[in-house]
Amino acid sequence: MTMEQVTDQYPTRLATAHDPVQRPHPTVWGSAGDGPFDAVDLQAHEERGFSILDDFISADEVAAYNAELTRMSSDPALQSDPRLITEKKTGEVRSVFEVQAFSEQLAALARDPRLLDRARQLLGSDVYLHQTRVNYMPGFKGSGFYWHSDFETWHAEDGMPAPRAVSCSIALTDNYPFNGGLMVMPGSHRTYVPSVGETPDNNHESSLKEQEVGVPSQAAVTVMAERHGIEQFTGKAGSALWFDSNIMHGSGNNITPYPRSNVFMVFNSVENALVEPFAAREPRPTYIANRDFTPLS
Ligand code: 6CS
Ligand code: FE
């Protein structure tokens, strides 16, 4: 599929402000018979743009994945790898991308039926991994993520045509209201908020530390917060948050002693494969935006 064949229904990063776009695409593409979510679950996901599953993985799995996180963050070979992102201020490990390249266990998790069946049901097709990452959000020094829509970035910088992608964020530590828990605006996924400003080359070298380009204006955040409210994902380690690629979300800094670590697996429909970026000169590296669209099995 080339740019000519893909009309840009989600204009973004223009020189001047563009009105918000009402999403022409559905949120849920599959149906109740296709997987573990029942009709009530799917209706709620369509309306709210996210679903919370308690006890999604076991305590043993949580312990095993945390050991992987510790191993990766202290692996000497990873310290100079571009997939390891450090905190701007303190140099602490902030994120590791493409975790399946460093951990067999996390690679297997991406193929686990508990994830694959749900991703396929929500996206109504076979799926592949668009992106995986671990956010460490360390105690005392973890900095947050300003309000944003993932899809705005994936559309502008990775060439994702439509918001037919879903993130599964699994808590590997207890997510409290006070240690940087993810905030979402329920229902905001149905409005696409174009952002203003050209994308700098290699924007990801700074945006993964602190995103400045591609974030909504304070006026837009205010309107969205008034209209949708703000809810916070809290839950014990092992719980999961499934959220739509276009939901407005963000998290605050973590000044408590309690880390808020989670692993994200982002699934994209094989029918929504990346094309050329819609608002950047070069596509981002494949460790941030995978370009092997082979369906996961
Ligand atoms: O640019 C990205 O792909 C990443 N940035 C944020 C703030 N969330 C989604 C993703 O991890
Ligand atoms: Fe995000």
Side-chain angles (χ1 to χ4, degrees):
M1 192 189 307
T2 61
M3 273 294 282
E4 294 66 47
Q5 293 159 1
V6 179
T7 54
D8 190 359
Q9 298 163 292
Y10 297 95
T12 189
R13 300 197 188 176
L14 308 167
T16 55
H18 187 290
D19 289 341
V21 173
Q22 285 314 306
R23 178 187 186 126
H25 292 101
T27 302
V28 172
W29 301 70
S31 54
D34 301 345
F37 288 119
D38 65 24
V40 172
D41 299 331
L42 293 178
Q43 179 61 28
H45 193 86
E46 177 71 46
E47 281 166 15
R48 288 164 53 84
F50 68 96
S51 301
I52 292 174
L53 301 175
D54 295 324
D55 303 319
F56 187 60
I57 63 173
S58 70
D60 288 350
E61 289 175 290
V62 166
Y65 299 145
N66 273 310
E68 291 290 89
L69 264 63
T70 303
R71 178 179 61 74
M72 290 190 294
S73 63
S74 52
D75 179 348
L78 249 171
Q79 299 317 306
S80 56
D81 192 303
R83 289 168 285 189
L84 186 145
I85 313 293
T86 53
E87 291 285 353
K88 197 170 180 178
K89 286 206 189 93
T90 62
E92 292 255 324
V93 178
R94 174 174 167 89
S95 305
V96 171
F97 279 76
E98 200 178 47
V99 294
Q100 68 274 25
F102 304 108
S103 164
E104 284 299 317
Q105 296 182 59
L106 290 171
L109 179 63
R111 289 179 152 74
D112 186 300
R114 290 170 292 177
L115 282 84
L116 269 189
D117 293 347
R118 286 180 171 84
R120 286 183 185 131
Q121 184 178 20
L122 292 174
L123 303 180
S125 72
D126 273 336
V127 299
Y128 73 94
L129 273 182
H130 167 65
Q131 179 183 106
T132 65
R133 70 188 180 281
V134 167
N135 282 344
Y136 284 76
M137 187 67 88
F140 298 114
K141 296 173 183 168
S143 62
F145 295 80
Y146 186 70
W147 291 108
H148 66 283
S149 150
D150 293 343
F151 173 65
E152 192 284 333
T153 296
W154 297 341
H155 183 67
E157 300 189 51
D158 301 334
M160 185 182 281
R164 189 173 179 181
V166 66
S167 293
C168 175
S169 168
I170 300 174
L172 296 180
T173 59
D174 292 342
N175 280 222
Y176 304 106
F178 45 69
N179 66 336
L182 196 64
M183 296 177 283
V184 291
M185 295 187 188
S188 60
H189 63 297
R190 288 198 301 273
T191 301
Y192 180 80
V193 181
S195 62
V196 178
E198 202 169 316
T199 309
D201 290 346
N202 299 313
N203 184 41
H204 62 280
E205 288 170 3
S206 61
S207 70
L208 298 179
K209 285 177 181 285
E210 189 173 27
Q211 186 178 7
E212 289 172 354
V213 173
V215 292
S217 66
Q218 290 184 359
V221 172
T222 305
V223 167
M224 299 287 271
E226 294 296 305
R227 184 184 309 157
H228 299 289
I230 295 175
E231 286 190 22
Q232 185 158 45
F233 168 56
T234 55
K236 289 192 323 44
S239 51
L241 171 72
W242 286 83
F243 61 100
D244 181 80
S245 62
N246 188 48
I247 199 165
M248 193 64 74
H249 65 288
S251 57
N253 294 338
N254 181 11
I255 58 169
T256 73
Y258 314 111
R260 191 228 69 190
S261 304
N262 45 19
V263 55
F264 287 78
M265 302 276 176
V266 183
F267 299 94
N268 189 22
S269 166
V270 292
E271 294 165 21
N272 190 41
L274 307 185
V275 294
E276 287 306 302
F278 286 88
R281 280 197 319 185
E282 297 293 328
R284 296 198 296 177
T286 53
Y287 63 80
I288 300 176
N290 176 23
R291 287 182 177 268
D292 172 1
F293 308 132
T294 310
L296 281 174
S297 58

